[in-house]
């Protein structure tokens, strides 16, 4: 694959998807920490330090979606979303990958998540993975479940009371899976 991948979103915004650059790591870590503090989509309870973020998000391949046009001030292109892609299991099972996604909260519903999901499926296949598995999709994360099902993922399992939300409510987590190729 040739990066960056360019896409025009349904809103007309032109974006590019590329490997994350080292100077973008702190922006992505800060964005992920927004989601961790929100406590509705990721299992971690506390914001991640740089070392924790590196171990979790940067252990294999990490990607970002950027605005594709610099403005007249020549500020760096804005990070609109990000995802990681890594083996879900070691050794004999490393042909099944896992991915995690985040989108700037004010940009949800603009098609960035779908673009990342579609691109991830192509990238994963190009990297030699044979399937994608999500281990803990919170049952209350309806936009994510809807997106993944629309991209061919199946719910292959349910983990009862897997998640304790911030208000102490216990919810199930779904295991979602899609073969590639």
């Amino acid at each position: 694959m040739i990066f960056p991948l360019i896409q025009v979103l349904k809103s007309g915004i032109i974006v590019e998807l590329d490997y994350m650059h080292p100077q973008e790591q702190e922006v992505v870590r800060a964005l992920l920490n927004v989601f961790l503090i929100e406590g509705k989509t990721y299992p971690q309870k506390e914001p991640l330090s740089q070392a924790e973020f590196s171990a979790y998000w940067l252990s294999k391949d990490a990607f970002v979606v950027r605005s594709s046009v610099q403005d007249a001030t020549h500020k760096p292109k804005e990070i609109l979303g990000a995802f990681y892609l890594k083996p879900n299991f070691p050794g004999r099972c490393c042909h099944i990958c896992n991915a995690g996604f985040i989108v700037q909260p004010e940009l949800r519903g603009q098609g960035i998540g779908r673009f990342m999901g579609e691109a991830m499926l192509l990238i994963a296949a190009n990297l030699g993975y044979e399937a994608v598995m999500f281990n803990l999709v919170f049952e209350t994360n309806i936009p994510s479940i809807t997106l993944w099902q629309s991209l061919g993922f199946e719910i292959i399992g349910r983990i009862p009371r897997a998640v304790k939300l911030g208000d102490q409510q216990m919810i199930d987590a779904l295991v979602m899976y899609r073969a590639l190729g």
Side-chain angles (χ1 to χ4, degrees):
M1 294 185 81
I2 299 172
F3 291 96
L5 304 176
I6 307 294
Q7 177 85 12
V8 179
L9 302 178
K10 62 185 178 184
S11 61
I13 299 171
I14 301 170
V15 297
E16 62 182 37
L17 187 146
D18 199 1
Y19 278 94
M20 182 188 307
H21 298 150
Q23 65 271 23
E24 296 170 321
Q25 291 176 9
E26 187 54 35
V27 173
V28 174
R29 182 177 78 91
L31 177 58
L32 176 61
N33 283 337
V34 168
F35 284 83
L36 300 185
I37 292 164
E38 185 182 61
K40 296 179 181 176
T41 54
Y42 277 86
Q44 293 90 342
K45 279 186 160 184
E46 301 294 327
L48 299 183
S49 68
Q50 182 59 49
E52 293 165 330
F53 172 76
S54 292
Y56 178 64
W57 199 272
L58 304 176
S59 66
K60 191 68 176 152
D61 295 300
F63 301 88
V64 295
V65 171
R66 304 178 194 103
S67 56
S68 70
V69 182
Q70 286 185 334
D71 63 21
T73 63
H74 301 289
K75 289 188 286 188
K77 297 175 182 179
E78 183 184 2
I79 303 295
L80 309 179
F83 69 96
Y84 67 79
L85 186 61
K86 59 187 174 184
N88 198 34
F89 307 106
R92 299 182 198 281
C93 302
C94 69
H95 60 282
I96 300 171
C97 67
N98 177 264
F101 298 80
I102 51 177
V103 174
Q104 291 285 356
E106 68 276 9
L107 297 174
R108 291 177 186 162
Q110 304 276 327
I112 296 166
R114 175 168 295 280
F115 173 47
M116 289 192 298
E118 291 169 348
M120 177 275 297
L121 293 171
L122 294 171
I123 294 166
N126 267 347
L127 291 174
Y129 293 110
E130 296 175 22
V132 182
M133 183 173 166
F134 300 135
N135 305 316
L136 289 169
V137 181
F138 295 8
E139 70 176 349
T140 51
N141 190 352
I142 303 303
S144 186
I145 295 165
T146 302
L147 172 62
W148 300 126
Q149 286 180 321
S150 77
L151 293 177
F153 282 77
E154 295 179 63
I155 296 169
I156 61 166
R158 177 179 288 271
I159 306 167
R161 299 173 52 84
V163 183
K164 187 184 291 185
L165 297 175
D167 62 4
Q168 303 304 308
Q169 175 190 3
M170 299 292 287
I171 62 167
D172 294 355
L174 306 176
V175 179
M176 300 186 79
Y177 179 88
R178 182 180 187 266
L180 298 170

